[in-house]
Each structure stands twice: as structure tokens, then as C-alpha cells.
Amino acid sequence: MGKKVVTLAYGCQMSERDAGTLTEITRQLGYTSSDELQTADLVIVNTCCVRESAENKILGKIGELKKLKEKNPNLKIAISGCMVQQPGALERLQKRAPHVDIWAGTHNLHDFSVLLERAEQGGKVAEVWQEPKKAIESTPLAEKGKLQANVNIMYGCDNFCSYCIVPHVRGRERSRHPEEIIQEINYLVANGCREVTLLGQNVNSYGKEFSPAYDFADLLRDVDQIPHLLRIRYITSHPKDLSDKLIETVAQGEKLCEHFHLPIQSGSNFILERMNRKYTREYYLSRVERIRRLLPQASLTTDIIVGFPGESEEDFEQTLAMMDSVHYSQAFTFMYSKRSGTLAANMEDQIPLDVKKRRLQRLMSEQNQKSLEWRQQMIGKTYEVLVEGPSKTNPQRLTGRTRGNELVVFSGNPEIIGSLVNVRIVEAGSWTLVGDIERP
Ligand code: SAM
Ligand code: SF4
């Protein structure tokens, strides 16, 4: 029997994609991917450190793995990614979790096979480079028949938003060459993939180092030409770099989904400046207006942080007002979490936890209402849906997403999984839509 690996991914899509790379590397070494911790020979935890709550959850999981190792001393445990990469974190983590065999930073994932080999020979291994030393590469992942795939188009971030740990653990921004990206997508499509999500911390600054000039809109236009690919999504768009050219390209593209994830973070200019976001609420609204003018049906989603240092009730009210004016279909809302090494961690006027909690509750309840209204205005209209598979809550029915990324449940023959159908929305639930397929 071959060895089994369980890979656990915490955090954003980039972390998920990295976890996929690690699983693929172990597959090439003869491991089979599994979900069962009890029978695993290797457990990999790819970590996130963007908020303290994520870190606490992961530390709990690493603690649980100790019991597993006591039962099976041959088990190898690897901890990788952002948490390990934080300045000064490795020593602290090693002391706290001596049962871990491999520690790998964000710049050491591609050498994972070497690290694993060393650990299998019986040693403890830790590799955390401060910077990437190799040219950019990506391990292509193609699970046969998997409809959706994430594709890295760039790594790192140069923005240094004052609350954010990402630039400190993922290094400076670097873009992959378009030919390499297109080659990877062609490979995915040949293996059954029909929808790709292009990943970058700020996709709008893709290619800024390229000469001759070639930007994100150019890449989208080229990916749009790939035969048999049905849909293209991307995250994340930093509002400061969202160009007219990009909005126009999305409007003209055939497969480019009319969904903009445009993190606002705060609706107050005072807070936006302290966050180092480099745009104002007025500029943000002008971008939204431009999108709505060219693409009236586009869905907008966002990320919002409440309780950033110095946020007054009035600043918070401005965030609520912004949510009201834009009318997001969905918002990911977070309480500010102090991250050591970031500028905001040393700011005065940190907001007490009870105030942050109260603001988050209010924001979430207002957004839930807005999201419901958004879904309700879809009733009676027909949308193109990519059929993804049986619904998780009712396997007798099918599920899929609109171009705006709204989840729809409907009845249909499982033979249509992987194809595009037109669905008329008949009901808007708290989180999903219910529809009927329209016969051609
Ligand atoms: N690059 C993306 C961007 O510019 O929006 C987002 C990357 S980050 C992994 C995802 C979201 O986490 C951010 O948009 C922000 O809302 C949130 N976030 C980042 N740092 C945070 C912190 N210290 N406390 C709370 N939320 C945070
Ligand atoms: Fe973090 Fe800002 Fe970079 Fe996004 S753009 S990863 S929020 S520093």
C-alpha cells in the first residue's frame, strides 16, 4: 500500500493553491491524497496569519496532531506557509510544537520534496528563506474532471496596507510570464477544467515590470481566447489600480465574468489614509459608477475591516453609508486584528474588543439585508449558470453559479454538469437562489 498524505489549507485562495502544489509534489513521490487523519503517513498544514483568529485555530490543530503522532510515531508532520514565514516566528513555533518534523516558509514550497526526504531519513527540518531565490515557477495541478481551478498569475504584494501582514510574509510583487500562465490554463482545460480564477494580491498591477508593456487587461483578453474554457474570474482587484481599460475589457470579453471583488476596507477617508489604501471614498465611488455604466448587471463584492485604530463612530457610520450606496451582493467583514510587524500595530487609539464586536454585528446584519435584497431583485430574471454538481444540501438537485458568482440550486439531469445553462430565478433564500432551467 502506498503512503497517504492529508493536506489542510487555511486562509485565502493563494494558500489553497499552495496546498495543492504541496499535495502534487507528494503525489509525484508516490503519496495518495486522503482526508483521513487517523491513517495518514504525512500531514501537511499550510497556514495563514492574516488575523489572530486564524492563527489560534491553526495552533489548536497543530496541538491536536501531537496526539496523532503519539499513536503513530512514524507519522510525519509538516507546517508550511505564512505563519512560519513571519519574522521571528519559527523559533517560537518550534518550541511550542516539538512534534513537528518539517517547517517550510512561503519561499520554500517548491523544494518540499527535498525537505520531506530529509525528514524521512529521521531528522527535523526547517527552511525559511527571507526572499525567493528561484525564478518564478508553478507546479501545474490538474485533477481529472475538476471543473474549477485557481491559477497564480503573480506572487507577493508591494502595497503595505498598514494593517496587513501579507507583504511581510509573501515578499515583493512578481508577475509570471503570460505564456506560462496560458500554457498552464491550456493544460487544465485539456484535463476538464472549465472555469479558472486568476490569483494575485493585486491583479490590477500585474505585469508592471514588463517591457514591452503588457498588463492585466491584456492577459484577460488573451485568456479569453482559450478554446473550451467557459469562464474566467480573478481576485483581488485593488481599487486604486482598477483601470478603465480593465472594465472595458471585461465588458467586451466573452468568458470574463461580470463580477468585481473590490475591497473597500473602510468608507472613511481618514481611516483609508491611515490604512495606506491610496484611494478616497470619492475615487472608489467613481470606479463603481464606471463599472455600473458599462455593466449594469455586474455584481460587486468587498472586504471591510471594522475597529481599525482610531475609527470613531462617525467613521464607522461612513462605512455603513458606503455599503448602502454601492449595494454589494456580498461582503466579507472582519474585526481589525493587530499583526506584529505592521505599522498599524503600533498606532495609538486601538479600539476595545467590545466596540469592534458591536460594529461587526451591525455591519453584518445590514449587509445580510442588502445581500437578500440583491438576490430578491434577481427573481424573474434569467441567468447563465455553469452547472457544478449535486447540491450539498439536497443531492437530488443541482447547483451552479451565475456569472456574478451567485449560487443557484435547480433540478436537472446530472449529464449537464460542466455545461452552461440558462436558469430563471424563482426564489431567493437567505444564502442561495432557487431557479428553473429554461429549455432552449
Ligand atoms: N490583497 C487583497 C486586498 O488588497 O484586498 C486581500 C488580502 S487579505 C488576505 C484579505 C482580507 O483580509 C483583506 O482585504 C482585509 O479585509 C482582511 N485583513 C487583512 N489584514 C487584516 C487585519 N490585520 N485585521 C483584519 N482583517 C484583515
Ligand atoms: Fe494586504 Fe493591502 Fe497587499 Fe492586499 S493590497 S495583500 S490588503 S497589503
Side-chain angles (χ1 to χ4, degrees):
M1 283 291 279
K3 289 186 173 183
K4 288 188 192 156
V5 58
V6 174
T7 314
L8 307 173
Y10 289 85
C12 63
Q13 283 88 341
M14 283 119 201
S15 171
E16 256 174 52
R17 179 61 179 79
D18 286 347
T21 298
L22 292 172
T23 309
E24 176 60 20
I25 291 173
T26 59
R27 193 190 64 75
Q28 290 171 9
L29 295 172
Y31 281 80
T32 311
S33 174
S34 154
D35 293 330
E36 286 173 34
L37 280 172
Q38 298 302 326
T39 54
D41 299 282
L42 169 66
V43 178
I44 305 173
V45 183
N46 200 51
T47 59
C48 166
C49 61
V50 84
R51 278 171 292 277
E52 197 185 353
S53 52
E55 277 198 299
N56 288 341
K57 208 159 135 190
I58 296 164
L59 288 171
K61 184 50 98 181
I62 297 175
E64 276 173 37
L65 294 177
K66 188 174 178 189
K67 290 182 208 120
L68 213 59
K69 180 118 177 165
E70 281 163 3
K71 271 200 234 154
N72 171 13
N74 292 327
L75 171 71
K76 296 286 174 226
I77 300 173
I79 312 295
S80 56
C82 291
M83 223 166 125
V84 184
Q85 190 72 38
Q86 289 178 98
L90 179 63
E91 214 175 298
R92 189 167 28 91
L93 288 167
Q94 279 175 318
K95 257 196 210 138
R96 189 179 169 134
H99 56 288
V100 169
D101 301 282
I102 303 171
W103 299 96
T106 53
H107 305 308
N108 302 86
L109 302 188
H110 296 289
D111 278 334
F112 190 74
S113 56
V114 179
L115 306 185
L116 182 57
E117 205 176 306
R118 272 166 51 198
E120 280 176 341
Q121 283 161 8
K124 297 269 177 196
V125 184
E127 283 286 358
V128 183
W129 292 347
Q130 287 319 302
E131 283 169 32
K133 292 188 192 162
K134 285 195 168 172
I136 299 176
E137 47 183 300
S138 174
T139 307
L141 312 179
E143 291 171 43
K144 269 248 176 273
K146 196 161 172 253
L147 277 179
Q148 202 277 341
N150 291 332
V151 176
N152 286 317
I153 62 164
M154 60 207 293
Y155 300 97
C157 180
D158 284 349
N159 289 304
F160 289 94
C161 300
S162 63
Y163 50 81
C164 187
I165 194 73
V166 171
H168 305 265
V169 292
R170 292 204 163 250
R172 297 292 62 74
E173 196 174 284
R174 48 232 189 260
S175 301
R176 288 178 72 199
H177 281 290
E179 304 83 61
E180 232 192 90
I181 296 168
I182 288 167
Q183 198 181 3
E184 180 172 340
I185 299 175
N186 274 317
Y187 175 72
L188 290 165
V189 170
N191 281 279
C193 172
R194 293 292 171 263
E195 177 180 299
V196 288
T197 303
L198 308 180
L199 300 180
Q201 295 296 348
N202 176 14
V203 290
N204 296 336
S205 66
Y206 171 81
K208 73 176 179 204
E209 64 273 41
F210 289 166
S211 169
Y214 182 92
D215 63 15
F216 183 54
D218 297 323
L219 178 68
L220 284 182
R221 200 195 48 226
D222 287 345
V223 176
D224 199 41
Q225 303 303 314
I226 294 179
H228 309 299
L229 181 65
L230 297 177
R231 280 182 170 180
I232 304 158
R233 301 186 185 280
Y234 52 87
I235 42 169
T236 295
S237 268
H238 195 306
K240 76 178 166 69
D241 298 316
L242 179 66
S243 66
D244 285 351
K245 179 178 169 188
L246 178 70
I247 303 171
E248 283 153 22
T249 305
V250 174
Q252 287 155 9
E254 185 198 330
K255 304 165 186 175
L256 300 171
C257 290
E258 296 79 9
H259 168 213
F260 292 82
H261 182 64
L262 214 51
I264 173 108
Q265 313 297 0
S266 167
S268 147
N269 284 342
F270 170 69
I271 296 295
L272 285 172
E273 197 177 337
R274 279 169 74 94
M275 285 178 161
N276 193 28
R277 287 293 285 178
K278 300 196 178 79
Y279 55 81
T280 59
R281 58 182 287 138
E282 293 76 20
Y283 182 77
Y284 185 97
L285 282 172
S286 75
R287 298 288 72 204
V288 171
E289 199 188 314
R290 182 85 196 152
I291 294 171
R292 297 253 192 256
R293 199 172 325 138
L294 288 189
L295 293 158
Q297 283 301 316
S299 299
L300 269 99
T301 56
T302 198
D303 293 350
I304 300 176
I305 298 175
V306 296
F308 183 81
E311 185 188 67
S312 65
E313 281 303 320
E314 201 187 328
D315 294 316
F316 175 59
E317 289 294 332
Q318 287 179 16
T319 300
L320 292 172
M322 196 70 176
M323 246 174 52
D324 207 41
S325 329
V326 178
H327 208 149
Y328 298 107
S329 59
Q330 199 183 358
F332 300 89
T333 51
F334 310 105
M335 274 193 289
Y336 168 71
S337 167
K338 198 170 172 179
R339 303 284 69 204
S340 146
T342 62
L343 262 176
N346 297 323
M347 284 182 185
E348 288 175 3
D349 311 323
Q350 298 282 333
I351 305 295
L353 184 62
D354 59 330
V355 177
K356 288 199 250 188
K357 278 189 181 162
R358 180 169 44 76
R359 288 184 188 164
L360 185 68
Q361 277 308 320
R362 169 121 186 254
L363 194 72
M364 281 166 61
S365 80
E366 298 218 0
Q367 181 54 43
N368 287 348
Q369 180 56 31
K370 287 270 155 205
S371 299
L372 182 62
E373 282 169 22
W374 177 265
R375 284 192 294 278
Q376 281 169 341
Q377 59 82 35
M378 295 173 73
I379 294 175
K381 298 180 194 155
T382 297
Y383 293 84
E384 180 200 276
V385 169
L386 174 61
V387 189
E388 290 175 5
S391 157
K392 281 197 187 112
T393 48
N394 179 356
Q396 304 306 314
R397 307 192 88 187
L398 296 173
T399 183
R401 282 177 189 272
T402 64
R403 291 172 74 94
N405 212 25
E406 290 95 1
L407 198 65
V408 190
V409 179
F410 46 91
S411 297
N413 188 327
E415 276 176 14
I416 61 174
I417 293 172
S419 58
L420 295 173
V421 291
N422 285 326
V423 177
R424 190 178 146 83
I425 306 301
V426 293
E427 201 183 310
S430 334
W431 300 109
T432 48
L433 295 157
V434 180
D436 290 329
I437 294 184
E438 289 199 335
R439 306 287 155 205

